PDB file of all heavy atoms in Angstrom:
ATOM      1  N   PRO E  70      10.502   4.353  10.974  1.00 98.00           N
ATOM      2  CA  PRO E  70      11.935   4.475  10.832  1.00 98.00           C
ATOM      3  C   PRO E  70      12.375   5.912  10.542  1.00 98.00           C
ATOM      4  O   PRO E  70      11.634   6.667   9.842  1.00 98.00           O
ATOM      5  CB  PRO E  70      12.279   3.497   9.594  1.00 98.00           C
ATOM      6  CG  PRO E  70      11.097   2.603   9.523  1.00 98.00           C
ATOM      7  CD  PRO E  70       9.943   3.460  10.011  1.00 98.00           C
ATOM      8  N   ARG E  71      13.617   6.247  10.890  1.00 97.00           N
ATOM      9  CA  ARG E  71      14.089   7.600  10.717  1.00 97.00           C
ATOM     10  C   ARG E  71      15.358   7.662   9.780  1.00 97.00           C
ATOM     11  O   ARG E  71      15.885   6.569   9.459  1.00 97.00           O
ATOM     12  CB  ARG E  71      14.482   8.217  12.052  1.00 97.00           C
ATOM     13  CG  ARG E  71      13.297   8.356  13.006  1.00 97.00           C
ATOM     14  CD  ARG E  71      13.669   8.901  14.356  1.00 97.00           C
ATOM     15  NE  ARG E  71      14.279  10.197  14.226  1.00 97.00           N
ATOM     16  CZ  ARG E  71      13.612  11.357  14.147  1.00 97.00           C
ATOM     17  NH1 ARG E  71      12.265  11.313  14.203  1.00 97.00           N
ATOM     18  NH2 ARG E  71      14.179  12.507  14.050  1.00 97.00           N
ATOM     19  N   TYR E  72      15.679   8.844   9.407  1.00 98.00           N
ATOM     20  CA  TYR E  72      16.797   9.021   8.469  1.00 98.00           C
ATOM     21  C   TYR E  72      18.046   8.259   9.003  1.00 98.00           C
ATOM     22  O   TYR E  72      18.366   8.335  10.153  1.00 98.00           O
ATOM     23  CB  TYR E  72      17.095  10.491   8.332  1.00 98.00           C
ATOM     24  CG  TYR E  72      18.472  10.788   7.695  1.00 98.00           C
ATOM     25  CD1 TYR E  72      18.685  10.348   6.332  1.00 98.00           C
ATOM     26  CD2 TYR E  72      19.444  11.462   8.362  1.00 98.00           C
ATOM     27  CE1 TYR E  72      19.903  10.593   5.747  1.00 98.00           C
ATOM     28  CE2 TYR E  72      20.657  11.740   7.697  1.00 98.00           C
ATOM     29  CZ  TYR E  72      20.871  11.276   6.418  1.00 98.00           C
ATOM     30  OH  TYR E  72      22.116  11.505   5.845  1.00 98.00           O
ATOM     31  N   ASN E  73      18.635   7.485   8.100  1.00 98.00           N
ATOM     32  CA  ASN E  73      19.893   6.776   8.360  1.00 98.00           C
ATOM     33  C   ASN E  73      19.712   5.520   9.215  1.00 98.00           C
ATOM     34  O   ASN E  73      20.757   4.884   9.531  1.00 98.00           O
ATOM     35  CB  ASN E  73      20.981   7.693   8.929  1.00 98.00           C
ATOM     36  CG  ASN E  73      22.353   7.313   8.362  1.00 98.00           C
ATOM     37  OD1 ASN E  73      22.482   6.876   7.239  1.00 98.00           O
ATOM     38  ND2 ASN E  73      23.399   7.515   9.199  1.00 98.00           N
ATOM     39  N   ASP E  74      18.495   5.212   9.631  1.00 98.00           N
ATOM     40  CA  ASP E  74      18.273   3.957  10.383  1.00 98.00           C
ATOM     41  C   ASP E  74      18.505   2.791   9.374  1.00 98.00           C
ATOM     42  O   ASP E  74      18.129   2.872   8.237  1.00 98.00           O
ATOM     43  CB  ASP E  74      16.829   3.861  10.876  1.00 98.00           C
ATOM     44  CG  ASP E  74      16.595   4.698  12.126  1.00 98.00           C
ATOM     45  OD1 ASP E  74      17.596   5.245  12.672  1.00 98.00           O
ATOM     46  OD2 ASP E  74      15.404   4.820  12.534  1.00 98.00           O
ATOM     47  N   THR E  75      19.058   1.716   9.852  1.00 98.00           N
ATOM     48  CA  THR E  75      19.144   0.516   9.090  1.00 98.00           C
ATOM     49  C   THR E  75      18.113  -0.471   9.590  1.00 98.00           C
ATOM     50  O   THR E  75      18.058  -0.753  10.828  1.00 98.00           O
ATOM     51  CB  THR E  75      20.538  -0.143   9.193  1.00 98.00           C
ATOM     52  OG1 THR E  75      21.521   0.733   8.600  1.00 98.00           O
ATOM     53  CG2 THR E  75      20.594  -1.500   8.471  1.00 98.00           C
ATOM     54  N   ILE E  76      17.193  -0.839   8.729  1.00 98.00           N
ATOM     55  CA  ILE E  76      16.046  -1.714   9.097  1.00 98.00           C
ATOM     56  C   ILE E  76      16.097  -3.050   8.269  1.00 98.00           C
ATOM     57  O   ILE E  76      16.802  -3.096   7.300  1.00 98.00           O
ATOM     58  CB  ILE E  76      14.741  -1.040   8.845  1.00 98.00           C
ATOM     59  CG1 ILE E  76      14.613  -0.613   7.363  1.00 98.00           C
ATOM     60  CG2 ILE E  76      14.575   0.190   9.814  1.00 98.00           C
ATOM     61  CD1 ILE E  76      13.248   0.024   7.054  1.00 98.00           C
ATOM     62  N   CYS E  77      15.369  -4.024   8.791  1.00 98.00           N
ATOM     63  CA  CYS E  77      15.303  -5.273   8.080  1.00 98.00           C
ATOM     64  C   CYS E  77      13.833  -5.463   7.640  1.00 98.00           C
ATOM     65  O   CYS E  77      12.904  -5.361   8.475  1.00 98.00           O
ATOM     66  CB  CYS E  77      15.766  -6.431   8.989  1.00 98.00           C
ATOM     67  SG  CYS E  77      15.612  -8.055   8.194  1.00 98.00           S
ATOM     68  N   ILE E  78      13.638  -5.728   6.373  1.00 98.00           N
ATOM     69  CA  ILE E  78      12.305  -5.947   5.774  1.00 98.00           C
ATOM     70  C   ILE E  78      12.179  -7.470   5.537  1.00 98.00           C
ATOM     71  O   ILE E  78      12.947  -7.990   4.719  1.00 98.00           O
ATOM     72  CB  ILE E  78      12.102  -5.176   4.523  1.00 98.00           C
ATOM     73  CG1 ILE E  78      12.335  -3.638   4.733  1.00 98.00           C
ATOM     74  CG2 ILE E  78      10.697  -5.387   3.953  1.00 98.00           C
ATOM     75  CD1 ILE E  78      12.464  -2.845   3.469  1.00 98.00           C
ATOM     76  N   VAL E  79      11.210  -8.107   6.186  1.00 98.00           N
ATOM     77  CA  VAL E  79      10.972  -9.537   5.969  1.00 98.00           C
ATOM     78  C   VAL E  79       9.593  -9.637   5.359  1.00 98.00           C
ATOM     79  O   VAL E  79       8.611  -9.013   5.810  1.00 98.00           O
ATOM     80  CB  VAL E  79      10.989 -10.277   7.289  1.00 98.00           C
ATOM     81  CG1 VAL E  79      10.709 -11.756   7.106  1.00 98.00           C
ATOM     82  CG2 VAL E  79      12.363 -10.088   7.961  1.00 98.00           C
ATOM     83  N   THR E  80       9.500 -10.484   4.287  1.00 98.00           N
ATOM     84  CA  THR E  80       8.195 -10.659   3.583  1.00 98.00           C
ATOM     85  C   THR E  80       7.944 -12.056   3.292  1.00 98.00           C
ATOM     86  O   THR E  80       8.860 -12.872   3.130  1.00 98.00           O
ATOM     87  CB  THR E  80       8.109  -9.737   2.343  1.00 98.00           C
ATOM     88  OG1 THR E  80       6.758  -9.823   1.817  1.00 98.00           O
ATOM     89  CG2 THR E  80       9.063 -10.218   1.308  1.00 98.00           C
ATOM     90  N   GLU E  81       6.633 -12.442   3.240  1.00 97.00           N
ATOM     91  CA  GLU E  81       6.271 -13.770   2.808  1.00 97.00           C
ATOM     92  C   GLU E  81       4.876 -13.703   2.261  1.00 97.00           C
ATOM     93  O   GLU E  81       3.977 -12.955   2.731  1.00 97.00           O
ATOM     94  CB  GLU E  81       6.303 -14.752   3.986  1.00 97.00           C
ATOM     95  CG  GLU E  81       5.425 -14.434   5.215  1.00 97.00           C
ATOM     96  CD  GLU E  81       5.536 -15.413   6.261  1.00 97.00           C
ATOM     97  OE1 GLU E  81       5.459 -16.607   5.978  1.00 97.00           O
ATOM     98  OE2 GLU E  81       5.655 -15.003   7.440  1.00 97.00           O
ATOM     99  N   ALA E  82       4.609 -14.469   1.237  1.00 97.00           N
ATOM    100  CA  ALA E  82       3.227 -14.672   0.689  1.00 97.00           C
ATOM    101  C   ALA E  82       2.552 -15.720   1.528  1.00 97.00           C
ATOM    102  O   ALA E  82       2.769 -16.913   1.379  1.00 97.00           O
ATOM    103  CB  ALA E  82       3.265 -15.077  -0.764  1.00 97.00           C
ATOM    104  N   VAL E  83       1.740 -15.306   2.484  1.00 96.00           N
ATOM    105  CA  VAL E  83       1.290 -16.177   3.582  1.00 96.00           C
ATOM    106  C   VAL E  83       0.213 -17.149   3.193  1.00 96.00           C
ATOM    107  O   VAL E  83       0.184 -18.271   3.644  1.00 96.00           O
ATOM    108  CB  VAL E  83       0.888 -15.352   4.846  1.00 96.00           C
ATOM    109  CG1 VAL E  83       2.019 -14.755   5.488  1.00 96.00           C
ATOM    110  CG2 VAL E  83      -0.203 -14.308   4.502  1.00 96.00           C
ATOM    111  N   SER E  84      -0.760 -16.674   2.325  1.00 96.00           N
ATOM    112  CA  SER E  84      -1.858 -17.541   1.922  1.00 96.00           C
ATOM    113  C   SER E  84      -2.572 -16.988   0.770  1.00 96.00           C
ATOM    114  O   SER E  84      -2.329 -15.886   0.249  1.00 96.00           O
ATOM    115  CB  SER E  84      -2.866 -17.615   3.183  1.00 96.00           C
ATOM    116  OG  SER E  84      -3.456 -16.380   3.424  1.00 96.00           O
ATOM    117  N   TYR E  85      -3.435 -17.814   0.188  1.00 96.00           N
ATOM    118  CA  TYR E  85      -4.206 -17.411  -1.018  1.00 96.00           C
ATOM    119  C   TYR E  85      -5.485 -18.283  -1.035  1.00 96.00           C
ATOM    120  O   TYR E  85      -5.648 -19.287  -0.388  1.00 96.00           O
ATOM    121  CB  TYR E  85      -3.467 -17.563  -2.280  1.00 96.00           C
ATOM    122  CG  TYR E  85      -3.236 -19.007  -2.760  1.00 96.00           C
ATOM    123  CD1 TYR E  85      -3.961 -19.516  -3.840  1.00 96.00           C
ATOM    124  CD2 TYR E  85      -2.283 -19.829  -2.184  1.00 96.00           C
ATOM    125  CE1 TYR E  85      -3.722 -20.787  -4.293  1.00 96.00           C
ATOM    126  CE2 TYR E  85      -2.110 -21.117  -2.611  1.00 96.00           C
ATOM    127  CZ  TYR E  85      -2.807 -21.587  -3.651  1.00 96.00           C
ATOM    128  OH  TYR E  85      -2.613 -22.901  -4.097  1.00 96.00           O
ATOM    129  N   ASN E  86      -6.523 -17.705  -1.735  1.00 95.00           N
ATOM    130  CA  ASN E  86      -7.725 -18.425  -2.040  1.00 95.00           C
ATOM    131  C   ASN E  86      -8.039 -18.346  -3.529  1.00 95.00           C
ATOM    132  O   ASN E  86      -7.149 -18.094  -4.313  1.00 95.00           O
ATOM    133  CB  ASN E  86      -8.892 -17.983  -1.159  1.00 95.00           C
ATOM    134  CG  ASN E  86      -9.114 -16.499  -1.232  1.00 95.00           C
ATOM    135  OD1 ASN E  86      -9.056 -15.892  -2.339  1.00 95.00           O
ATOM    136  ND2 ASN E  86      -9.299 -15.801  -0.122  1.00 95.00           N
ATOM    137  N   LYS E  87      -9.291 -18.553  -3.908  1.00 94.00           N
ATOM    138  CA  LYS E  87      -9.591 -18.577  -5.302  1.00 94.00           C
ATOM    139  C   LYS E  87      -9.245 -17.316  -6.060  1.00 94.00           C
ATOM    140  O   LYS E  87      -8.734 -17.379  -7.213  1.00 94.00           O
ATOM    141  CB  LYS E  87     -11.108 -18.872  -5.538  1.00 94.00           C
ATOM    142  CG  LYS E  87     -11.495 -19.016  -6.967  1.00 94.00           C
ATOM    143  CD  LYS E  87     -12.983 -19.398  -7.136  1.00 94.00           C
ATOM    144  CE  LYS E  87     -13.335 -19.565  -8.573  1.00 94.00           C
ATOM    145  NZ  LYS E  87     -14.749 -19.919  -8.748  1.00 94.00           N
ATOM    146  N   PHE E  88      -9.359 -16.152  -5.415  1.00 94.00           N
ATOM    147  CA  PHE E  88      -9.187 -14.857  -6.138  1.00 94.00           C
ATOM    148  C   PHE E  88      -8.128 -13.978  -5.413  1.00 94.00           C
ATOM    149  O   PHE E  88      -7.603 -13.080  -6.081  1.00 94.00           O
ATOM    150  CB  PHE E  88     -10.509 -14.109  -6.282  1.00 94.00           C
ATOM    151  CG  PHE E  88     -11.443 -14.762  -7.283  1.00 94.00           C
ATOM    152  CD1 PHE E  88     -12.564 -15.379  -6.837  1.00 94.00           C
ATOM    153  CD2 PHE E  88     -11.178 -14.698  -8.653  1.00 94.00           C
ATOM    154  CE1 PHE E  88     -13.449 -15.963  -7.776  1.00 94.00           C
ATOM    155  CE2 PHE E  88     -11.977 -15.257  -9.566  1.00 94.00           C
ATOM    156  CZ  PHE E  88     -13.151 -15.897  -9.114  1.00 94.00           C
ATOM    157  N   PHE E  89      -7.837 -14.131  -4.146  1.00 95.00           N
ATOM    158  CA  PHE E  89      -7.006 -13.210  -3.458  1.00 95.00           C
ATOM    159  C   PHE E  89      -5.736 -13.898  -2.972  1.00 95.00           C
ATOM    160  O   PHE E  89      -5.749 -15.110  -2.596  1.00 95.00           O
ATOM    161  CB  PHE E  89      -7.717 -12.606  -2.233  1.00 95.00           C
ATOM    162  CG  PHE E  89      -8.680 -11.559  -2.604  1.00 95.00           C
ATOM    163  CD1 PHE E  89      -9.983 -11.947  -2.905  1.00 95.00           C
ATOM    164  CD2 PHE E  89      -8.340 -10.190  -2.613  1.00 95.00           C
ATOM    165  CE1 PHE E  89     -10.960 -10.881  -3.204  1.00 95.00           C
ATOM    166  CE2 PHE E  89      -9.311  -9.212  -2.897  1.00 95.00           C
ATOM    167  CZ  PHE E  89     -10.589  -9.583  -3.208  1.00 95.00           C
ATOM    168  N   CYS E  90      -4.610 -13.144  -2.938  1.00 96.00           N
ATOM    169  CA  CYS E  90      -3.393 -13.573  -2.370  1.00 96.00           C
ATOM    170  C   CYS E  90      -2.990 -12.548  -1.313  1.00 96.00           C
ATOM    171  O   CYS E  90      -3.172 -11.298  -1.442  1.00 96.00           O
ATOM    172  CB  CYS E  90      -2.284 -13.627  -3.434  1.00 96.00           C
ATOM    173  SG  CYS E  90      -2.576 -14.863  -4.783  1.00 96.00           S
ATOM    174  N   TYR E  91      -2.449 -13.074  -0.162  1.00 96.00           N
ATOM    175  CA  TYR E  91      -2.143 -12.227   1.016  1.00 96.00           C
ATOM    176  C   TYR E  91      -0.694 -12.260   1.293  1.00 96.00           C
ATOM    177  O   TYR E  91      -0.115 -13.351   1.492  1.00 96.00           O
ATOM    178  CB  TYR E  91      -2.955 -12.668   2.185  1.00 96.00           C
ATOM    179  CG  TYR E  91      -4.484 -12.710   1.906  1.00 96.00           C
ATOM    180  CD1 TYR E  91      -5.085 -13.942   1.606  1.00 96.00           C
ATOM    181  CD2 TYR E  91      -5.236 -11.580   1.878  1.00 96.00           C
ATOM    182  CE1 TYR E  91      -6.447 -14.012   1.344  1.00 96.00           C
ATOM    183  CE2 TYR E  91      -6.601 -11.648   1.585  1.00 96.00           C
ATOM    184  CZ  TYR E  91      -7.211 -12.855   1.301  1.00 96.00           C
ATOM    185  OH  TYR E  91      -8.538 -12.927   1.036  1.00 96.00           O
ATOM    186  N   ARG E  92      -0.069 -11.117   1.302  1.00 97.00           N
ATOM    187  CA  ARG E  92       1.395 -10.999   1.589  1.00 97.00           C
ATOM    188  C   ARG E  92       1.623 -10.172   2.791  1.00 97.00           C
ATOM    189  O   ARG E  92       1.007  -9.068   2.962  1.00 97.00           O
ATOM    190  CB  ARG E  92       2.099 -10.452   0.382  1.00 97.00           C
ATOM    191  CG  ARG E  92       3.615 -10.269   0.618  1.00 97.00           C
ATOM    192  CD  ARG E  92       4.323  -9.748  -0.571  1.00 97.00           C
ATOM    193  NE  ARG E  92       4.604 -10.795  -1.553  1.00 97.00           N
ATOM    194  CZ  ARG E  92       5.622 -11.596  -1.543  1.00 97.00           C
ATOM    195  NH1 ARG E  92       6.476 -11.555  -0.549  1.00 97.00           N
ATOM    196  NH2 ARG E  92       5.761 -12.534  -2.454  1.00 97.00           N
ATOM    197  N   LYS E  93       2.478 -10.628   3.718  1.00 97.00           N
ATOM    198  CA  LYS E  93       2.821  -9.862   4.905  1.00 97.00           C
ATOM    199  C   LYS E  93       4.236  -9.274   4.790  1.00 97.00           C
ATOM    200  O   LYS E  93       5.180  -9.940   4.213  1.00 97.00           O
ATOM    201  CB  LYS E  93       2.764 -10.755   6.150  1.00 97.00           C
ATOM    202  CG  LYS E  93       1.343 -11.079   6.570  1.00 97.00           C
ATOM    203  CD  LYS E  93       0.674  -9.972   7.344  1.00 97.00           C
ATOM    204  CE  LYS E  93       1.297  -9.802   8.744  1.00 97.00           C
ATOM    205  NZ  LYS E  93       0.381  -8.958   9.617  1.00 97.00           N
TER     206      LYS E  93
END
Side-chain angles (χ1 to χ4, degrees):
R71 298 177 60 82
Y72 167 62
N73 217 31
D74 283 353
T75 296
I76 58 177
C77 180
I78 303 167
V79 179
T80 186
E81 59 180 313
V83 289
S84 62
Y85 73 105
N86 54 43
K87 184 177 180 180
F88 288 109
F89 284 87
C90 297
Y91 306 101
R92 176 178 284 275
K93 287 281 289 193

